[in-house]
Amino acid sequence: MPKTGVSKSAKPAKVSVKQPAKNTGKTSQRRNRKNSSKLKIIPLGGLEQIGMNITAFEYEDSIVVVDCGMSFPEDDMLGIDFVIPDVTYLKENITKVKGFVITHGHEDHIGALPYVLKEVKAPIYSTKLTLGLISNKLREHNLLNTTKMKEVKHGQVINLGDFSIEFIKTNHSIQDASALAIYSPAGIVIHTGDFKVDYTPVFGDAIDLQRFAEIGKKGVLALMCDSTNAERPGFTMSERTVGHVFDNLFNEYKNTRIIIATFASNVDRVQQIINTAHKFGRKVAVEGRSMVNVISTAAELGYLKIPDNTLIEIDQVKNYPNELVTLITTGSQGESMAALSRMASNIHRKITIQPGDTIIFSSNPIPGNEKAVSKVINELSMKGANVIFQDVHVSGHACQEEIKLIYSLVHPKYAVPVHGEYRHLKAQARVAESLGIEKENIFILNSGDVLELDEKSAKVTGKVQVGDILVDGLGVGDVGNIVLRDRQHLAEDGIMVVVMTLENHSNLVLAGPDIVSRGFVYVRESEDLMEEARRIVETALDGCLEHQINDWSKIKTVVKDALGDFLWKRTKRRPMILPIIMEA
């Protein structure tokens, strides 16, 4: 596997790294010196949706940006690869931006960094695995050697302008996840990042609840808490429980080839699959570009333990009997170009689904992906595979009782639910209110809102520019609402191109009009319609020439209107009509 990791050439910015106890005195001095200003919390994305998380914290002439993620396109964003946040506010205040502080290595928290860094140059601070995954992205965009990165351990504090930021150990579905204690002269804000409370994690230590409690005793101004599972009562199951399920499934299907689809970033899940496969004497192959990249980085940095002679290349799978092979692959969300989807469609170059194969979906469909996942499951089932998609996944996000635990330890004055759709934010607001936080101290924000707060008061005082920047291939932001509207129009109604040749100066018709149709009707079965359409265009064109209309744009408009009206009356459809006039 390729060597990956944090580049030694990516030198950190000069920054002091201290223990929290040494930092609090300096923080109180700043508070006394600058108690006239308020802290601004400005979410630039990540609210009203799952994904594209990015929040700016501003105090006077200092801005710290927490996370910088992407989101996947909606169904109506035809041809769009992914969506990144509009960071116009950061560009307008570039001299204030002190750095990006990243909570963990999921795409919805790091995916936009390569694009945003091209416009907002600032150092990046995060934990070891997270920086390793970020490095992979920056290397692809030739940004690795020009971006300053600093590795921070849990329990350490970094000073950025008027802010000091402490990294607190949490649990999530990826290693090295952190909550942040953001110390400002106006008070302390705790940002949980994505988290759960896992007392028996697969790798590393459990969440540092003691530190949450210690900071809570100092007095916390606001808590920004993960809302993804705020509608779910109870506790989230430990990741370790999935390992027992794998043991049972491997024992039940020990005579078949086992293919497991999961999130590439869920390193703990991959570790448990490898552990179980090794226990049953199986070889493990990995397929999917993102899966290979993450596993390579995690293994090199020591977050994944792979027993000797367990991992094999995908090309070697054919050399082993099915009962000795386990395949870990991408595609658990039904993505059309992911490895599992290509296997299901018989277009994968190296793996063919065979009758009797056991396919395990070790994830739950993200809202909106249900149809795509069902399609892949059906295709796999039709090929004779045994498809298992229940009880092989636990969430990486906290349910209500864990959210209550954090609130009880932190005792914030203000509650600011984050990370989720409106219904998730509202559910957490109800949890906060049930714990005694006053309703007027709970803020459900929209992206772009400017929340100004201090010990005395908090209120939304304004709004900054936010929005979706669409990425299509190498184009960033060059596809906007008008282009999307055209794509939707083409997809829904098709196109008709009208071509005519006019003589220069005299405007005599030398050729045409000819009509070409795509996505509207099948021409060979609609010859009468097309011929009548051609006559309508001829009549409109003749009318323009009789009235001595020489303006070609006016001629195009008349032709377009006449043909559009005719097609609507005959078919009740409105294809895109594109008149083209050629000069001779």
Side-chain angles (χ1 to χ4, degrees):
M1 287 188 176
K3 264 195 101 82
T4 52
V6 179
S7 169
K8 293 182 180 178
S9 63
K11 295 181 180 179
K14 288 185 178 180
V15 58
S16 58
V17 178
K18 303 180 180 180
Q19 293 302 318
K22 295 180 181 179
N23 177 71
T24 52
K26 186 174 287 187
T27 302
S28 62
Q29 289 174 15
R30 289 186 187 132
R31 187 181 296 116
N32 293 332
R33 191 176 70 249
K34 297 185 177 182
N35 56 11
S36 60
S37 297
K38 291 189 176 185
L39 172 66
K40 294 180 181 178
I41 299 176
I42 310 170
L44 301 177
L47 301 180
E48 312 112 4
Q49 65 183 119
I50 301 293
M52 208 165 73
N53 299 283
I54 178 171
T55 304
F57 292 80
E58 181 175 352
Y59 188 89
E60 292 195 350
D61 60 352
S62 297
I63 292 178
V64 171
V65 185
V66 173
D67 291 331
C68 188
M70 50 152 280
S71 66
F72 292 105
E74 303 290 339
D75 290 341
D76 59 353
M77 294 181 180
L78 302 174
I80 301 304
D81 297 321
F82 50 89
V83 185
I84 61 175
D86 184 340
V87 292
T88 298
Y89 184 76
L90 299 182
K91 289 189 286 184
E92 291 173 347
N93 295 274
I94 186 66
T95 57
K96 294 184 179 183
V97 178
K98 306 304 180 185
F100 291 89
V101 182
I102 309 299
T103 59
H104 65 282
H106 277 156
E107 288 292 321
D108 58 335
H109 294 258
I110 69 172
L113 273 172
Y115 302 94
V116 172
L117 285 171
K118 293 173 183 177
E119 300 184 280
V120 183
K121 281 285 184 185
I124 300 171
Y125 303 88
S126 196
T127 46
K128 188 175 182 180
L129 178 60
T130 307
L131 285 185
L133 297 174
I134 292 171
S135 295
N136 289 341
K137 291 186 165 297
L138 299 187
R139 186 179 292 109
E140 293 177 0
H141 290 258
N142 296 317
L143 292 172
L144 187 59
N145 294 329
T146 59
T147 303
K148 296 178 180 179
M149 290 187 285
K150 175 65 182 178
E151 179 187 326
V152 186
K153 293 181 171 60
H154 291 123
Q156 290 183 324
V157 177
I158 59 173
N159 296 322
L160 298 175
D162 287 316
F163 293 96
S164 296
I165 298 171
E166 178 183 348
F167 283 67
I168 305 170
K169 167 70 177 171
T170 58
N171 303 125
H172 187 41
S173 55
I174 188 171
Q175 273 302 318
D176 264 7
S178 307
L180 304 173
I182 301 170
Y183 300 89
S184 79
I188 303 172
V189 175
I190 289 185
H191 189 301
T192 66
D194 291 0
F195 85 103
K196 65 189 278 189
V197 177
D198 194 339
Y199 299 112
T200 57
V202 173
F203 183 98
D205 300 323
I207 183 173
D208 191 353
L209 295 174
Q210 179 180 342
R211 188 58 190 157
F212 280 97
E214 290 169 353
I215 297 173
K217 291 178 181 177
K218 299 177 188 294
V220 171
L221 183 64
L223 173 63
M224 303 176 72
C225 186
D226 178 8
S227 306
T228 308
N229 279 349
E231 294 178 310
R232 300 184 183 179
F235 293 87
T236 302
M237 298 284 285
S238 170
E239 175 63 34
R240 196 177 289 271
T241 61
V242 180
H244 303 309
V245 177
F246 282 136
D247 286 348
N248 294 335
L249 289 173
F250 272 61
N251 185 58
E252 183 176 353
Y253 297 99
K254 55 189 172 186
N255 294 322
T256 71
R257 182 170 62 172
I258 296 178
I259 300 173
I260 303 176
T262 190
F263 293 111
S265 59
N266 196 335
V267 177
D268 284 349
R269 188 71 49 82
V270 172
Q271 180 70 74
Q272 293 187 100
I273 296 169
I274 291 173
N275 292 346
T276 301
H278 180 67
K279 188 186 303 183
F280 283 83
R282 288 176 176 260
K283 301 294 183 183
V284 176
V286 179
E287 178 62 349
R289 178 171 173 269
S290 59
M291 185 72 74
V292 171
N293 287 341
V294 171
I295 290 178
S296 298
T297 302
E300 181 185 344
L301 298 179
Y303 292 87
L304 192 63
K305 309 295 184 186
I306 303 176
D308 293 339
N309 301 318
T310 297
L311 211 58
I312 61 173
E313 296 294 332
I314 193 72
D315 294 325
Q316 297 176 283
V317 168
K318 60 181 180 294
N319 299 332
Y320 293 87
N322 286 345
E323 62 271 14
L324 294 182
V325 171
T326 296
L327 188 65
I328 306 175
T329 180
T330 55
S332 64
Q333 295 302 304
E335 308 96 315
S336 60
M337 294 309 295
L340 186 62
S341 297
R342 287 185 282 124
M343 295 176 200
S345 302
N346 273 339
I347 59 174
H348 196 282
R349 290 181 296 174
K350 297 175 181 177
I351 300 295
T352 301
I353 301 298
Q354 304 168 6
D357 282 347
T358 299
I359 318 290
I360 300 172
F361 281 76
S362 187
S363 68
N364 285 337
I366 294 172
N369 291 348
E370 293 88 352
K371 284 187 177 180
V373 173
S374 294
K375 178 184 176 184
V376 174
I377 290 174
N378 286 328
E379 289 176 336
L380 293 168
S381 298
M382 285 189 286
K383 289 176 171 56
N386 303 308
V387 183
I388 299 165
F389 51 90
Q390 294 177 333
D391 303 324
V392 201
H393 176 67
V394 296
S395 176
H397 298 271
C399 289
Q400 287 180 3
E401 295 304 314
E402 294 150 278
I403 293 172
K404 290 177 183 177
L405 175 59
I406 296 298
Y407 271 93
S408 299
L409 293 174
V410 169
H411 300 296
K413 180 170 185 177
Y414 304 110
V416 186
V418 294
H419 198 288
E421 300 170 2
Y422 183 82
R423 61 191 177 97
H424 302 127
L425 306 180
K426 190 69 176 177
Q428 188 186 139
R430 288 194 294 268
V431 170
E433 196 172 352
S434 73
L435 294 171
I437 295 181
E438 297 178 7
K439 194 170 184 178
E440 58 268 26
N441 286 351
I442 302 172
F443 292 89
I444 299 179
L445 303 179
N446 295 311
S447 295
D449 284 348
V450 179
L451 175 65
E452 292 194 27
L453 66 165
D454 60 13
E455 287 288 349
K456 297 177 182 177
S457 65
K459 64 178 180 178
V460 176
T461 59
K463 200 169 185 69
V464 304
Q465 178 178 327
V466 293
D468 296 340
I469 303 297
L470 309 180
V471 179
D472 184 359
L474 296 177
V476 180
D478 57 348
V479 175
N481 290 333
I482 294 175
V483 175
L484 277 185
R485 186 186 65 198
D486 285 347
R487 289 182 179 183
Q488 291 162 6
H489 192 177
L490 288 167
E492 291 168 1
D493 298 306
I495 185 172
M496 294 190 79
V497 181
V498 182
V499 183
M500 44 208 154
T501 304
L502 302 184
E503 185 179 49
N504 194 13
H505 304 304
S506 69
N507 271 357
L508 290 175
V509 180
L510 299 181
D514 296 318
I515 299 178
V516 180
S517 170
R518 292 291 183 272
F520 175 59
V521 292
Y522 185 47
V523 176
R524 292 184 181 178
E525 295 180 356
S526 306
E527 292 178 355
D528 292 343
L529 176 67
M530 298 301 289
E531 183 58 34
E532 194 171 348
R534 188 174 183 278
R535 288 197 295 270
I536 293 293
V537 173
E538 283 181 340
T539 301
L541 189 55
D542 290 342
C544 290
L545 300 181
E546 285 175 8
H547 291 85
Q548 296 183 343
I549 297 176
N550 298 320
D551 183 353
W552 284 9
S553 62
K554 176 64 174 175
I555 294 173
K556 289 180 180 179
T557 300
V558 171
V559 168
K560 184 177 178 181
D561 290 345
L563 182 57
D565 290 344
F566 164 73
L567 293 174
W568 173 252
K569 291 174 182 176
R570 284 289 303 271
T571 67
K572 295 302 181 202
R573 284 184 261 171
R574 294 192 185 277
M576 180 181 288
I577 298 172
L578 191 62
I580 298 174
I581 299 177
M582 301 178 69
E583 186 180 52

